[in-house]
Amino acid sequence: MKQQRIEVLLELISCNQPLFYWRYDEQGNLLYSDCPAEKMLDVVLRRTGGLRCIYEMGHNAPLLIGADSSLLWIADRENLEGKGLFQIHVLGPFFSHEHGVAGIEEMTRQVVAQASPQWANAFLEVARALPTLSLPFYSQYAVMLHYLLSGEKIPTSSLDYQIEMQPVPADFSNLKKHTPPKDRLQTYRAERALLNAVREGDMDCADTMEIASSVAKVREYTDNQLRNVQIACTTFATLCTRAAIEGGLSTTKSYCLGDAYIKSFFLAKTASEVSAIKNQMYKDFVTRVHNCRNNPQYSKMVQGSRDYIELHLAEPISIETLATRLGYSKYYLSTRFKKEIGCSVNDYIKFVRIERAKRLLSTTEKNISEIAENTGFASRNFFASTFKQCVGKTPAQYRKEMLNT
């Protein structure tokens, strides 16, 4: 009965564009397929690691399997009677956006790197005949398949993603186990560091930009590289706008600034021009948040002290250093600072260092000793004890907790 319903679903789907159907057992053996190029596409599907992923996760929701090239499959799991017995049902492959001839050829090179010319040419012919489905269609197909398999009605937001593919090697007899890409965590950390710097108006964010640039990757949404960069920078501008609002910049100013830069992205003629505008935008947001966070009730002397502390955290800082640099007596600066800020200079320095350390722990892979050095602590042990005293947990415990959120 269930298989008959799936056949009806496939008939309904074919009213739009037909999709191939696949069924695998709990050992990963192919039980059935209606795909004429079954052997070839089965190899490609396995190479994505999607089947392995859904087996290991014990997934009970639809999973979208695919690659940066936008060659995608829908997969879901059906639990059978009997301990540990299940089947994996797959629809696809299909493209998530229109590809020209050049785009399909580039996608083929990504998928079949190192394969023989004959195999690559054969795959190219198969790829040209594959359908293109937009997000509304394939997400609906996924939840309908899930309903047929489990009887559970779920929203399209439950659709999960495993979007990454390794090239298929020339020797298909020894496919290696897929491992998730290692750069996703680095990308997430870099993004969080960039946005935290906007929220805090951190003028000393050059290292953050450098780290982000080293791990950033523009996703291939279209065959046009300029358009891909424009889309990526638009997304980043939206995130910066939200972060600036959270940092205290007015909603009106934040949205107007973000909109102006987004328009500039799409008026640019080259990818490098877009990137230059993005860097300018980022510094603009950071500067504006920094300026709005400067309390006008603070005297020039106290505000100057705060700015110097935030820009020189890695260096030894003392009340004597600040007094000499700003041209005031130690006693006068200390008294005014405590009156306006509400704490001593030394306590403020410790607070800013701990806050910077928290950001580095949650957004970088720097070890504890490096972070201690970067935030001006004399030793790792002193940093660890001070951090635990202020935060209530060790740096390692804090990092682990933040990575799990």
Side-chain angles (χ1 to χ4, degrees):
M1 177 66 73
K2 188 174 293 185
Q3 197 59 40
Q4 291 176 347
R5 292 180 178 178
I6 291 177
E7 290 173 3
V8 172
L9 174 62
L10 295 174
E11 286 292 328
L12 293 174
I13 290 175
S14 68
C15 293
N16 178 27
Q17 293 190 71
L19 287 178
F20 298 128
Y21 169 70
W22 315 70
R23 190 167 70 252
Y24 295 82
D25 66 16
E26 67 277 359
Q27 301 298 322
N29 300 310
L30 179 60
L31 301 177
Y32 172 81
S33 169
D34 61 4
C35 177
E38 173 185 298
K39 184 176 180 180
M40 175 179 291
L41 291 180
D42 176 61
V43 168
V44 176
L45 175 57
R46 292 175 186 277
R47 188 55 178 173
T48 66
L51 292 179
R52 175 69 62 183
C53 177
I54 201 168
Y55 291 149
E56 293 179 347
M57 293 174 64
H59 224 275
N60 290 314
L63 183 68
L64 191 69
I65 306 166
D68 290 341
S69 59
S70 76
L71 183 67
L72 307 176
W73 283 265
I74 297 166
D76 206 350
R77 171 173 172 152
E78 177 193 8
N79 293 318
L80 305 176
E81 293 183 5
K83 187 175 182 180
L85 297 179
F86 61 88
Q87 291 183 352
I88 300 298
H89 298 256
V90 178
L91 298 176
F94 56 90
F95 291 117
S96 62
H97 61 260
E98 291 288 348
H99 282 272
V101 174
I104 291 178
E105 290 177 350
E106 174 60 27
M107 181 275 300
T108 300
R109 284 192 290 271
Q110 293 178 24
V111 173
V112 298
Q114 303 176 10
S116 68
Q118 294 83 1
W119 203 94
N121 289 334
F123 180 82
L124 180 59
E125 289 303 313
V126 171
R128 285 172 176 165
L130 295 176
T132 299
L133 299 177
S134 63
L135 174 62
F137 280 107
Y138 67 70
S139 58
Q140 289 293 337
Y141 294 161
V143 297
M144 286 191 287
L145 176 63
H146 184 75
Y147 176 71
L148 292 180
L149 297 177
S150 67
E152 180 186 16
K153 295 181 180 180
I154 60 174
T156 55
S157 58
S158 297
L159 181 62
D160 207 349
Y161 294 83
Q162 161 71 31
I163 308 297
E164 196 68 36
M165 181 183 286
Q166 298 179 8
V168 175
D171 179 9
F172 305 119
S173 63
N174 186 26
L175 292 175
K176 297 180 180 178
K177 177 181 176 180
H178 173 79
T179 55
K182 296 181 179 179
D183 65 340
R184 293 289 173 87
L185 180 57
Q186 292 179 331
T187 301
Y188 170 68
R189 282 172 162 169
E191 179 183 286
R192 181 160 26 176
L194 287 171
L195 297 179
N196 281 346
V198 173
R199 291 186 191 94
E200 297 168 8
D202 183 4
M203 300 295 288
D204 188 24
C205 58
D207 59 334
T208 304
M209 285 291 289
E210 184 177 345
I211 293 170
S213 298
S214 67
V215 301
K217 180 181 180 182
V218 176
R219 311 292 291 183
E220 295 184 1
Y221 301 104
T222 73
D223 294 334
N224 186 314
Q225 182 60 18
L226 172 59
R227 183 54 53 88
N228 291 335
V229 174
Q230 290 169 330
I231 293 172
C233 289
T234 297
T235 302
F236 184 56
T238 303
L239 293 174
C240 285
T241 299
R242 304 290 193 277
I245 293 171
E246 293 167 4
L249 194 64
S250 74
T251 303
T252 301
K253 287 183 179 180
S254 296
Y255 277 114
C256 288
L257 189 63
D259 290 344
Y261 277 110
I262 290 172
K263 290 177 182 178
S264 297
F265 293 151
F266 286 96
L267 290 173
K269 303 300 182 183
T270 65
S272 59
E273 184 181 353
V274 176
S275 295
I277 295 171
K278 176 205 68 177
N279 292 337
Q280 177 186 343
M281 174 201 72
Y282 183 73
K283 293 176 182 177
D284 196 358
F285 269 117
V286 170
T287 301
R288 287 173 185 264
V289 172
H290 176 79
N291 291 339
C292 81
R293 286 167 68 93
N294 287 343
N295 194 323
Q297 296 179 352
Y298 292 157
S299 64
K300 184 177 180 180
M301 171 184 61
V302 170
Q303 188 58 57
S305 299
R306 293 175 74 239
D307 289 344
Y308 182 86
I309 291 168
E310 292 176 5
L311 291 173
H312 297 83
L313 279 183
E315 305 169 14
I317 306 173
S318 65
I319 182 67
E320 290 83 0
T321 304
L322 292 172
T324 301
R325 187 172 184 83
L326 296 172
Y328 297 94
S329 72
K330 172 184 171 182
Y331 175 77
Y332 182 65
L333 174 59
S334 177
T335 302
R336 286 295 300 273
F337 193 96
K338 187 168 186 178
K339 181 179 179 180
E340 295 183 25
I341 301 297
C343 66
S344 68
V345 172
N346 287 335
D347 284 345
Y348 184 80
I349 293 172
K350 180 170 67 175
F351 167 77
V352 176
R353 281 177 167 157
I354 292 298
E355 288 301 306
R356 179 69 58 82
K358 288 164 66 176
R359 177 154 65 86
L360 292 175
L361 286 166
S362 63
T363 60
T364 74
E365 292 185 331
K366 291 183 177 181
N367 61 45
I368 306 300
S369 296
E370 288 179 300
I371 293 176
E373 182 180 350
N374 292 163
T375 50
F377 287 92
S379 69
R380 171 180 172 141
N381 289 339
F382 180 56
F383 165 61
S385 61
T386 304
F387 190 93
K388 186 171 184 179
Q389 180 186 23
C390 296
V391 182
K393 58 195 71 176
T394 66
Q397 290 171 335
Y398 179 82
R399 167 171 275 172
K400 183 178 181 180
E401 181 180 291
M402 292 304 297
L403 290 179
N404 289 331
T405 59

